[in-house]
Amino acid sequence: MTNVPTVKLNNGVEMPTLGFGVFQVPDLSQAEQAVTDALEVGYRLIDTAAAYQNEEAVGRAIKNSSVNREDVFVTSKLWVSDFNYKRAKAGIDASLQKLGLDYMDLYLLHQPYGDTMGAWRALQEAQKEGKIRAIGVSNFYADQLKDLELTMPVKPAVNQIEVNPWYQQDQEVKFAQSEDIRVEAWAPFAEGKHDIFTNETIAEIAAKYGKSNGQVILRWLLQRGITVISKSVHKNRTDEDIDVFDSEL
């Protein structure tokens, strides 16, 4: 089993640098099995969202796992239809209920639309109440991050954005890092586009290190100081993706 390193967020909470996500896995039994496999091989960051419609499956996998709850870093996200103060408070409680948990380790505003300020106030309150350990955002641009910083008492701990070889987001990554906001990459494999798993340039690098294209991409992101969310419903890929801590590019 692989031990994944952690990083300290701007509020002192420790977060694993590599996680497992269940985006586009609406089949609850498949999602539960995928999370079960991920926990067994060593993943300790599990990423879901209200919009993924599989929070219940994630919660069951965690509950039935031999891994202690306090050793699993659970992330979920509030969908835009709940972006105001009152609906966000209800949305947080709904996620906790579906997950079957007393608290979430990280909770994100899923998109930068609607009443983000009202929703953010609800997240701040939930953090004070102990329902959430760290709060953050997803798919926000630098100016939107700055708006939250300037107008709210608690700034985001994380911005989860798409980052991969074809969408490197250099400026967005640099800005967030300069503000002590942890960047977390979704779609590190560009959702399989551009023949990413057989790309010749990446394959040349992979051959040098005895790794796969996917492993090289994950390692490249980790070395940029980015937390990465990997996803697969195939156990062999789940096992492969976590095996990236024994070499350096």
Side-chain angles (χ1 to χ4, degrees):
M1 187 179 74
T2 301
N3 290 318
V4 177
T6 62
V7 65
K8 191 172 287 188
L9 299 178
N10 59 28
N11 69 341
V13 170
E14 294 279 345
M15 175 185 186
T17 55
L18 177 64
F20 184 83
V22 289
F23 176 51
Q24 294 179 331
V25 191
D27 183 286
L28 295 185
S29 61
Q30 190 178 42
E32 183 177 352
Q33 186 60 55
V35 173
T36 297
D37 292 342
L39 290 170
E40 284 180 357
V41 78
Y43 287 93
R44 293 295 177 264
L45 191 169
I46 305 297
D47 180 275
T48 184
Y52 300 171
Q53 299 184 335
N54 54 24
E55 288 172 309
E56 299 98 328
V58 170
R60 283 198 301 270
I62 293 169
K63 181 180 179 181
N64 295 328
S65 169
S66 61
V67 182
N68 293 330
R69 164 64 186 101
E70 57 268 25
D71 294 328
V72 183
F73 190 97
V74 182
T75 302
S76 194
K77 311 176 193 76
L78 184 75
W79 187 239
V80 293
S81 57
D82 289 327
F83 274 24
N84 64 46
Y85 173 76
K86 186 175 180 180
R87 289 183 65 89
K89 287 179 76 71
I92 292 163
D93 288 341
S95 284
L96 285 168
Q97 184 177 13
K98 289 177 180 178
L99 287 161
L101 300 176
D102 296 325
Y103 68 93
M104 291 174 284
D105 297 274
L106 176 65
Y107 200 66
L108 309 176
L109 299 183
H110 206 147
Q111 301 278 0
Y113 304 117
D115 182 11
T116 56
M117 297 301 175
W120 190 253
R121 285 198 297 273
L123 265 63
Q124 289 179 149
E125 284 189 11
Q127 186 180 27
K128 278 187 178 180
E129 294 165 359
K131 294 179 180 180
I132 308 167
R133 296 178 66 220
I135 58 178
V137 295
S138 181
N139 303 307
F140 276 52
Y141 290 106
D143 60 326
Q144 296 161 331
L145 286 177
K146 200 65 181 178
D147 281 347
L148 276 179
E149 283 191 69
L150 292 172
T151 56
M152 293 291 170
V154 180
K155 76 174 181 179
V158 170
N159 187 20
Q160 188 182 112
I161 58 176
E162 181 181 3
V163 192
N164 56 60
W166 281 271
Y167 195 51
Q168 299 191 14
Q169 297 252 57
D170 283 341
Q171 293 306 311
E172 295 297 329
V173 170
K174 287 177 182 175
F175 175 81
Q177 290 176 339
S178 72
E179 299 289 309
D180 196 21
I181 297 170
R182 183 73 178 181
V183 176
E184 187 175 29
W186 63 265
F189 304 133
E191 298 181 323
K193 298 171 185 173
H194 312 292
D195 298 318
I196 196 166
F197 295 113
T198 56
N199 177 272
E200 291 183 4
T201 301
I202 299 173
E204 286 179 13
I205 299 168
K208 179 180 176 182
Y209 294 95
K211 295 292 185 180
S212 69
N213 279 28
Q215 288 171 319
V216 165
I217 293 163
L218 294 175
R219 187 67 211 175
W220 165 70
L221 288 163
L222 291 166
Q223 287 183 211
R224 289 178 68 190
I226 297 171
T227 291
V228 193
I229 300 298
S230 173
K231 187 211 89 173
S232 180
V233 294
H234 304 291
K235 190 175 185 306
N236 62 320
R237 278 284 308 279
T238 302
D239 294 350
E240 178 184 291
D241 288 349
I242 202 171
D243 184 23
V244 292
F245 297 102
D246 59 350
S247 61
E248 191 166 316
L249 301 178

